[in-house]
Amino acid sequence: MRTTIDINEDLLREAGRLTSIKMKRKLVDTALQELVRQARLRRLAGMLGSTRLNLTQRSLRRMRSDG
């Protein structure tokens, strides 16, 4: 998809220097992928402790020996 956007040139230049990515499109794609990855990790971290598992020591031992 072709889109026209204004990007902070200083930020773009610093990101390119830090990552050694020279192409603007690749730099923006990489930044978006990282943003999505971090958001997914935050969502996953927010779910920690919210799931109830009915596991006992006995069932855990059984699962380990079955595997």
Side-chain angles (χ1 to χ4, degrees):
M1 168 177 36
R2 187 170 284 272
T3 302
T4 302
I5 58 174
D6 288 326
I7 300 175
N8 180 312
E9 285 294 325
D10 293 335
L11 191 57
L12 193 65
R13 202 174 5 262
E14 183 178 4
R17 181 179 55 78
L18 292 170
T19 62
S20 299
I21 298 173
K22 302 301 177 202
M23 295 177 55
K24 290 180 183 180
R25 178 182 174 164
K26 176 69 174 165
L27 198 54
V28 171
D29 283 347
T30 301
L32 289 172
Q33 288 169 357
E34 180 62 16
L35 181 67
V36 168
R37 186 187 74 80
Q38 288 180 12
R40 287 177 176 167
L41 286 173
R42 278 193 303 277
R43 181 187 293 172
L44 185 60
M47 293 170 53
L48 288 176
S50 64
T51 303
R52 297 187 70 99
L53 298 176
N54 296 321
L55 298 175
T56 63
Q57 289 290 337
R58 180 184 230 173
S59 64
L60 286 172
R61 276 193 294 274
R62 193 173 335 129
M63 287 178 7
R64 287 185 193 125
S65 65
D66 288 345

